[in-house]
Amino acid sequence: MASAAEQLAANINMKAFSKATDLQKRIWFTIGVLIVYRLATYIPLPGINTAVMAEFAHSHGGGIFGMVDMFSGGALSRMSIMALNIMPYISASIIVQLMTAVAPQFEALKKEGESGRRKLNQYTRYLTVLIAVMQAYGAAVGLESMHGAAGSAVMDPGLFFRLTTIITIVGSTLFLMWLGEQITSRGIGNGISLIIFAGIVANLPSSIINALELGRTGALSYIFVLFILMFSVAMIAFIVFMERAQRRILVQYPKRQVGSKMFSGESSHLPIKLNSTGVIPPIFASSLLMLPVSLIELSGGQGPAWMQWIFGSLHKGGTVYICIYLFLIVFFAFFYTSIVFNPQETAENLKKNGGFIPGHRPGINTANYLDSVVTRLTVMGAAYLAFVCAVPEFFYAAYSLPFYLGGTTFLIAVSVPMDTVAQIHSHLLAHQYEGLLKKTRFSKSARNT
């Protein structure tokens, strides 16, 4: 069955795609939503002096501000209505998912199935509003204290500006959250991941041009710029290789008799990816680190002593920042793996279907074996994610790059298109199978007549 599916996937062509009208509608819908999102990132907040924001973005392009700006597709440097992007929703998702592991009430909702999932999604939306309000207020206060050569960043500071900023940013964040949900349900791919991917890809051309301009002006040597480009290509190839790596566990099915016919035993494979969590751990780790620090940086590091200590300790490329960043990546790799893969449930499903893993008895022994395999794979997957995210951080710390270079960017830029293409292939396979079934039914009816 697996080889037939692989062969069918290899034979996918434009002719099959042209007949899959439902898939075409999903793709065009996704592209249209992403265009709406990109246009919205160019709508500025009311009362903002864009010249001061451009000056601030130029001087802080390589730090935490540059990371947040990369994720928002340049919306933060332009201080548009999409300045917070989808990050409040991601932060709310982290908190709700952590609550499902520590709070019995949330754990019970998780086990209720579809109804429980809807309630958890509703709680996530409420928490998104709360987080967005707090961050929008912090951004408004920080903007009022920002000054540059062109004057103040806010033309008319005061209560009215803060109120309009909170309403505008929170409303835009909720609209963007809704767009992501629409892509997931009516489009193709994961809506939230595609929105982040669109922002990163939109900033890539300007980042490459800035790097080449730094080489032309002599700020960076041409050899170093060439090395960065070669490093980026090598990192992309490495990520593709690791994302496709998987452990295939042999599953045997005994002989069975159906009526008077005896069917011989079959064998298949249970594929477990090396990195079953995708880009979730780096995104979660980045969102927990960069938004609070970015708001402190937006206000110029002014405030109480504890805020200045955080601002000084968690600067991008610093030892404390890298250690906390890598710890969060490893933690979320193990945490999210426990959510997406349940060894006990998988072992029980194999037992119900009559399958077994050679050398391991069905039931608890199979569950323990699967748990040990997944744990070892997660150790390797977490190490891979930590390596990809740590190497660019060391580059930034060693050479003080004036532009943002991050491992999370590489992971999203590679993993999201791979997942989206896989979903497109799945839709095409389903469409081709439906076509084969229709032809079979038509031929049977023709023979009967």
Side-chain angles (χ1 to χ4, degrees):
M1 182 66 70
S3 60
E6 292 173 359
Q7 184 177 2
L8 189 59
N11 294 330
I12 291 176
N13 50 38
M14 292 303 298
K15 184 178 180 181
F17 177 78
S18 62
K19 296 179 180 180
T21 55
D22 180 66
L23 177 60
Q24 294 178 27
K25 291 179 181 178
R26 286 178 172 271
I27 293 176
W28 282 115
F29 178 82
T30 302
I31 294 175
V33 171
L34 293 179
I35 291 175
V36 171
Y37 156 65
R38 287 303 303 160
L39 291 176
T41 60
Y42 286 89
I43 302 175
L45 278 174
I48 294 295
N49 189 336
T50 56
V52 176
M53 286 306 306
E55 179 186 347
F56 184 85
H58 179 74
S59 60
H60 293 76
I64 294 287
F65 185 90
M67 183 194 296
V68 182
D69 191 49
M70 174 66 77
F71 276 96
S72 65
L76 184 62
S77 61
R78 294 186 290 269
M79 196 46 66
S80 78
I81 60 175
M82 296 290 181
L84 292 183
N85 200 263
I86 202 67
M87 291 307 165
Y89 177 77
I90 294 177
S91 301
S93 300
I94 297 172
I95 296 174
V96 171
Q97 290 189 14
L98 287 175
M99 292 298 292
T100 59
V102 298
Q105 296 85 352
F106 283 82
E107 186 179 2
L109 286 175
K110 180 183 175 182
K111 294 179 180 178
E112 286 183 5
E114 184 64 23
S115 61
R117 188 183 65 84
R118 285 198 296 266
K119 290 181 181 178
L120 290 175
N121 288 341
Q122 197 67 22
Y123 293 153
T124 303
R125 295 187 185 101
Y126 293 150
L127 190 57
T128 300
V129 174
L130 180 61
I131 294 175
V133 168
M134 292 188 297
Q135 292 177 347
Y137 178 78
V141 174
L143 287 170
E144 288 180 343
S145 62
M146 187 184 300
H147 299 273
S152 176
V154 179
M155 299 178 182
D156 188 16
L159 180 61
F160 182 74
F161 169 76
R162 296 182 184 183
L163 184 61
T164 55
T165 299
I166 292 173
I167 294 174
T168 304
I169 291 182
V170 173
S172 301
T173 301
L174 295 180
F175 174 68
L176 191 56
M177 178 186 69
W178 179 79
L179 288 181
E181 293 176 350
Q182 294 304 307
I183 292 177
T184 303
S185 60
R186 301 172 58 185
I188 193 76
N190 182 281
I192 304 300
S193 299
L194 281 173
I195 286 174
I196 299 175
F197 169 77
I200 291 175
V201 171
N203 268 7
L204 282 180
S206 61
S207 299
I208 295 175
I209 292 174
N210 289 339
L212 296 177
E213 181 66 19
L214 290 173
R216 187 187 67 83
T217 58
L220 294 176
S221 65
Y222 275 116
I223 297 178
F224 185 71
V225 173
L226 180 62
F227 172 76
I228 291 177
L229 295 177
M230 293 176 61
F231 167 77
S232 301
V233 173
M235 186 67 77
I236 291 173
F238 175 68
I239 292 173
V240 171
F241 174 78
M242 295 299 288
E243 289 296 325
R244 296 178 67 89
Q246 59 180 222
R247 169 75 181 275
R248 303 182 69 186
I249 300 176
L250 179 64
V251 178
Q252 292 280 3
Y253 292 91
K255 295 181 180 180
R256 54 194 176 94
Q257 185 174 356
V258 179
S260 59
K261 294 183 179 181
M262 178 66 72
F263 292 88
S264 61
E266 300 177 351
S267 63
S268 64
H269 290 88
L270 176 64
I272 303 177
K273 291 185 63 177
L274 177 68
N275 177 31
S276 58
T277 59
V279 297
I280 297 298
I283 291 178
F284 279 12
S286 299
S287 64
L288 285 182
L289 277 175
M290 68 185 181
L291 285 181
V293 180
S294 65
L295 292 178
I296 298 173
E297 189 175 43
L298 200 62
S299 62
Q302 300 175 359
W306 62 269
M307 184 181 293
Q308 296 182 12
W309 180 85
I310 293 176
F311 180 74
S313 301
L314 295 182
H315 63 278
K316 184 171 173 57
T319 304
V320 176
Y321 173 85
I322 294 176
C323 290
I324 296 178
Y325 184 41
L326 297 183
F327 169 78
L328 290 175
I329 289 175
V330 174
F331 169 76
F332 282 117
F334 279 91
F335 173 76
Y336 209 74
T337 299
S338 66
I339 294 177
V340 299
F341 187 86
N342 190 330
Q344 286 78 17
E345 183 179 348
T346 304
E348 191 65 28
N349 290 334
L350 288 176
K351 185 178 180 180
K352 289 179 180 179
N353 294 322
F356 66 94
I357 298 175
H360 303 276
R361 296 180 61 182
I364 188 64
N365 290 339
T366 299
N368 292 336
Y369 172 71
L370 291 175
D371 184 62
S372 64
V373 171
V374 171
T375 301
R376 292 196 296 268
L377 289 177
T378 305
V379 170
M380 297 178 62
Y384 144 69
L385 292 175
F387 172 78
V388 170
C389 294
V391 171
E393 297 295 336
F394 288 125
F395 267 112
Y396 177 81
Y399 298 101
S400 299
L401 298 179
F403 53 87
Y404 174 68
L405 178 70
T408 311
T409 304
F410 287 114
L411 285 167
I412 295 175
V414 175
S415 300
V416 174
M418 290 178 62
D419 293 340
T420 305
V421 170
Q423 288 198 25
I424 293 175
H425 281 181
S426 298
H427 280 277
L428 285 175
L429 285 171
H431 176 76
Q432 289 179 331
Y433 279 131
E434 288 176 2
L436 290 174
L437 289 174
K438 289 180 181 179
K439 289 181 181 179
T440 303
R441 293 169 183 169
F442 178 78
S443 60
K444 285 183 178 180
S445 62
R447 286 197 302 267
N448 293 332
T449 54

